[in-house]
mmCIF file of all heavy atoms in Angstrom:
data_model
loop_
_atom_site.group_PDB
_atom_site.id
_atom_site.type_symbol
_atom_site.label_atom_id
_atom_site.label_comp_id
_atom_site.label_asym_id
_atom_site.label_seq_id
_atom_site.Cartn_x
_atom_site.Cartn_y
_atom_site.Cartn_z
ATOM 1 N N TYR A 299 19.090 13.808 13.099
ATOM 2 C CA TYR A 299 17.936 13.230 12.354
ATOM 3 C C TYR A 299 17.048 12.576 13.152
ATOM 4 O O TYR A 299 15.767 12.768 13.175
ATOM 5 C CB TYR A 299 18.442 12.202 11.270
ATOM 6 C CG TYR A 299 17.448 11.363 10.660
ATOM 7 C CD1 TYR A 299 16.383 11.798 10.008
ATOM 8 C CD2 TYR A 299 17.597 9.917 10.910
ATOM 9 C CE1 TYR A 299 15.507 10.945 9.519
ATOM 10 C CE2 TYR A 299 16.493 9.155 10.444
ATOM 11 C CZ TYR A 299 15.541 9.590 9.676
ATOM 12 O OH TYR A 299 14.644 8.690 9.257
ATOM 13 N N ALA A 300 17.594 11.715 14.146
ATOM 14 C CA ALA A 300 16.635 10.958 15.130
ATOM 15 C C ALA A 300 16.027 11.758 16.060
ATOM 16 O O ALA A 300 14.780 11.613 16.321
ATOM 17 C CB ALA A 300 17.468 9.893 15.740
ATOM 18 N N LYS A 301 16.670 12.832 16.505
ATOM 19 C CA LYS A 301 15.933 13.755 17.500
ATOM 20 C C LYS A 301 14.856 14.439 16.763
ATOM 21 O O LYS A 301 13.762 14.649 17.395
ATOM 22 C CB LYS A 301 17.045 14.705 18.023
ATOM 23 C CG LYS A 301 18.087 14.055 18.962
ATOM 24 C CD LYS A 301 19.107 15.110 19.431
ATOM 25 C CE LYS A 301 20.139 14.375 20.328
ATOM 26 N NZ LYS A 301 21.271 15.400 20.609
ATOM 27 N N GLY A 302 15.086 14.948 15.642
ATOM 28 C CA GLY A 302 14.058 15.602 14.839
ATOM 29 C C GLY A 302 12.777 14.674 14.570
ATOM 30 O O GLY A 302 11.646 15.149 14.629
ATOM 31 N N LEU A 303 13.197 13.396 14.342
ATOM 32 C CA LEU A 303 12.136 12.455 14.016
ATOM 33 C C LEU A 303 11.263 12.280 15.262
ATOM 34 O O LEU A 303 9.930 12.161 15.228
ATOM 35 C CB LEU A 303 12.786 11.138 13.607
ATOM 36 C CG LEU A 303 11.836 10.136 12.890
ATOM 37 C CD1 LEU A 303 11.291 10.791 11.625
ATOM 38 C CD2 LEU A 303 12.611 8.851 12.468
ATOM 39 N N LYS A 304 11.796 12.195 16.481
ATOM 40 C CA LYS A 304 11.115 11.889 17.663
ATOM 41 C C LYS A 304 10.129 13.081 17.974
ATOM 42 O O LYS A 304 9.002 12.865 18.480
ATOM 43 C CB LYS A 304 12.045 11.898 18.813
ATOM 44 C CG LYS A 304 11.407 11.595 20.208
ATOM 45 C CD LYS A 304 12.434 11.598 21.285
ATOM 46 C CE LYS A 304 11.717 11.217 22.697
ATOM 47 N NZ LYS A 304 12.694 11.079 23.817
ATOM 48 N N GLU A 305 10.497 14.327 17.651
ATOM 49 C CA GLU A 305 9.598 15.494 17.759
ATOM 50 C C GLU A 305 8.351 15.269 16.850
ATOM 51 O O GLU A 305 7.301 16.037 17.144
ATOM 52 C CB GLU A 305 10.366 16.857 17.442
ATOM 53 C CG GLU A 305 11.465 17.013 18.455
ATOM 54 C CD GLU A 305 12.309 18.314 18.035
ATOM 55 O OE1 GLU A 305 12.042 18.899 16.969
ATOM 56 O OE2 GLU A 305 13.217 18.698 18.894
ATOM 57 N N GLN A 306 8.433 14.429 15.973
ATOM 58 C CA GLN A 306 7.274 14.345 15.001
ATOM 59 C C GLN A 306 6.375 13.237 15.242
ATOM 60 O O GLN A 306 5.381 13.041 14.485
ATOM 61 C CB GLN A 306 7.706 14.284 13.569
ATOM 62 C CG GLN A 306 8.554 15.492 13.140
ATOM 63 C CD GLN A 306 9.072 15.253 11.669
ATOM 64 O OE1 GLN A 306 8.300 15.103 10.755
ATOM 65 N NE2 GLN A 306 10.394 15.244 11.519
ATOM 66 N N ILE A 307 6.599 12.523 16.346
ATOM 67 C CA ILE A 307 5.747 11.310 16.724
ATOM 68 C C ILE A 307 4.351 11.664 16.782
ATOM 69 O O ILE A 307 3.974 12.547 17.480
ATOM 70 C CB ILE A 307 6.217 10.588 18.013
ATOM 71 C CG1 ILE A 307 7.592 10.029 17.780
ATOM 72 C CG2 ILE A 307 5.231 9.530 18.372
ATOM 73 C CD1 ILE A 307 8.285 9.480 18.985
ATOM 74 N N THR A 308 3.533 10.951 16.093
ATOM 75 C CA THR A 308 2.054 11.113 16.065
ATOM 76 C C THR A 308 1.304 10.136 16.937
ATOM 77 O O THR A 308 0.074 10.364 17.197
ATOM 78 C CB THR A 308 1.458 11.188 14.697
ATOM 79 O OG1 THR A 308 1.691 9.885 14.036
ATOM 80 C CG2 THR A 308 2.061 12.262 13.761
ATOM 81 N N GLY A 309 1.962 9.012 17.263
ATOM 82 C CA GLY A 309 1.247 8.006 18.041
ATOM 83 C C GLY A 309 2.039 6.757 18.187
ATOM 84 O O GLY A 309 2.950 6.489 17.341
ATOM 85 N N VAL A 310 1.587 5.897 19.009
ATOM 86 C CA VAL A 310 2.270 4.498 19.161
ATOM 87 C C VAL A 310 1.258 3.502 19.326
ATOM 88 O O VAL A 310 0.095 3.740 20.092
ATOM 89 C CB VAL A 310 3.142 4.568 20.571
ATOM 90 C CG1 VAL A 310 3.753 3.130 20.659
ATOM 91 C CG2 VAL A 310 4.186 5.661 20.504
ATOM 92 N N LYS A 311 1.312 2.384 18.683
ATOM 93 C CA LYS A 311 0.294 1.324 18.743
ATOM 94 C C LYS A 311 1.095 0.012 19.182
ATOM 95 O O LYS A 311 2.211 -0.226 18.710
ATOM 96 C CB LYS A 311 -0.342 1.140 17.387
ATOM 97 C CG LYS A 311 -1.406 2.266 17.056
ATOM 98 C CD LYS A 311 -2.497 2.315 18.018
ATOM 99 C CE LYS A 311 -3.622 3.280 17.623
ATOM 100 N NZ LYS A 311 -4.355 2.868 16.474
ATOM 101 N N ARG A 312 0.309 -0.777 19.811
ATOM 102 C CA ARG A 312 0.716 -2.087 20.274
ATOM 103 C C ARG A 312 -0.096 -3.311 19.730
ATOM 104 O O ARG A 312 -1.213 -3.209 19.761
ATOM 105 C CB ARG A 312 0.869 -2.296 21.759
ATOM 106 C CG ARG A 312 1.280 -3.591 22.401
ATOM 107 C CD ARG A 312 1.635 -3.389 23.912
ATOM 108 N NE ARG A 312 2.662 -2.425 24.102
ATOM 109 C CZ ARG A 312 2.708 -1.813 25.306
ATOM 110 N NH1 ARG A 312 1.962 -1.908 26.233
ATOM 111 N NH2 ARG A 312 3.684 -0.898 25.317
ATOM 112 N N LEU A 313 0.671 -4.219 19.063
ATOM 113 C CA LEU A 313 0.085 -5.352 18.472
ATOM 114 C C LEU A 313 0.191 -6.573 19.324
ATOM 115 O O LEU A 313 -0.581 -7.496 19.198
ATOM 116 C CB LEU A 313 0.640 -5.617 17.146
ATOM 117 C CG LEU A 313 0.520 -4.469 16.081
ATOM 118 C CD1 LEU A 313 1.286 -4.891 14.887
ATOM 119 C CD2 LEU A 313 -0.857 -4.031 15.819
ATOM 120 N N LEU A 314 1.266 -6.655 20.137
ATOM 121 C CA LEU A 314 1.479 -7.871 21.024
ATOM 122 C C LEU A 314 0.745 -7.635 22.320
ATOM 123 O O LEU A 314 0.745 -6.585 22.928
ATOM 124 C CB LEU A 314 2.888 -8.050 21.187
ATOM 125 C CG LEU A 314 3.787 -8.339 19.931
ATOM 126 C CD1 LEU A 314 5.122 -8.542 20.322
ATOM 127 C CD2 LEU A 314 3.256 -9.540 19.033
ATOM 128 N N LYS A 315 0.307 -8.576 22.809
ATOM 129 C CA LYS A 315 -0.576 -8.633 24.110
ATOM 130 C C LYS A 315 0.129 -9.370 25.273
ATOM 131 O O LYS A 315 0.962 -10.177 25.062
ATOM 132 C CB LYS A 315 -1.987 -9.241 23.927
ATOM 133 C CG LYS A 315 -2.770 -8.738 22.743
ATOM 134 C CD LYS A 315 -3.060 -7.176 23.077
ATOM 135 C CE LYS A 315 -3.915 -6.742 21.913
ATOM 136 N NZ LYS A 315 -4.254 -5.210 22.065
ATOM 137 N N GLY A 316 -0.145 -8.952 26.532
ATOM 138 C CA GLY A 316 0.281 -9.696 27.690
ATOM 139 C C GLY A 316 1.725 -9.796 27.825
ATOM 140 O O GLY A 316 2.411 -8.716 27.645
ATOM 141 N N GLY A 317 2.278 -10.847 28.164
ATOM 142 C CA GLY A 317 3.731 -11.095 28.343
ATOM 143 C C GLY A 317 4.513 -11.182 27.140
ATOM 144 O O GLY A 317 5.610 -11.612 27.138
ATOM 145 N N THR A 318 3.931 -11.170 25.984
ATOM 146 C CA THR A 318 4.600 -11.361 24.750
ATOM 147 C C THR A 318 5.603 -10.227 24.379
ATOM 148 O O THR A 318 6.339 -10.284 23.447
ATOM 149 C CB THR A 318 3.657 -11.354 23.480
ATOM 150 O OG1 THR A 318 2.854 -10.224 23.531
ATOM 151 C CG2 THR A 318 2.828 -12.614 23.598
ATOM 152 N N HIS A 319 5.748 -9.272 25.277
ATOM 153 C CA HIS A 319 6.749 -8.159 25.134
ATOM 154 C C HIS A 319 8.029 -8.598 25.724
ATOM 155 O O HIS A 319 8.993 -7.703 25.683
ATOM 156 C CB HIS A 319 6.137 -6.759 25.596
ATOM 157 C CG HIS A 319 5.508 -6.173 24.418
ATOM 158 N ND1 HIS A 319 4.168 -6.331 24.176
ATOM 159 C CD2 HIS A 319 5.919 -5.269 23.554
ATOM 160 C CE1 HIS A 319 3.784 -5.538 23.159
ATOM 161 N NE2 HIS A 319 4.871 -4.911 22.777
ATOM 162 N N GLU A 320 8.131 -9.659 26.421
ATOM 163 C CA GLU A 320 9.319 -9.989 27.220
ATOM 164 C C GLU A 320 10.486 -10.249 26.133
ATOM 165 O O GLU A 320 10.186 -10.905 25.129
ATOM 166 C CB GLU A 320 8.972 -11.180 28.084
ATOM 167 C CG GLU A 320 8.107 -10.996 29.107
ATOM 168 C CD GLU A 320 7.731 -12.260 29.984
ATOM 169 O OE1 GLU A 320 8.385 -13.231 29.637
ATOM 170 O OE2 GLU A 320 6.924 -12.149 30.836
#
Side-chain angles (χ1 to χ4, degrees):
Y299 163 66
K301 290 177 181 177
L303 202 58
K304 183 179 180 180
E305 294 175 356
Q306 300 178 57
I307 292 175
T308 58
V310 180
K311 288 296 187 71
R312 179 165 298 158
L313 301 176
L314 302 180
K315 304 295 183 180
T318 54
H319 274 87
E320 295 175 2

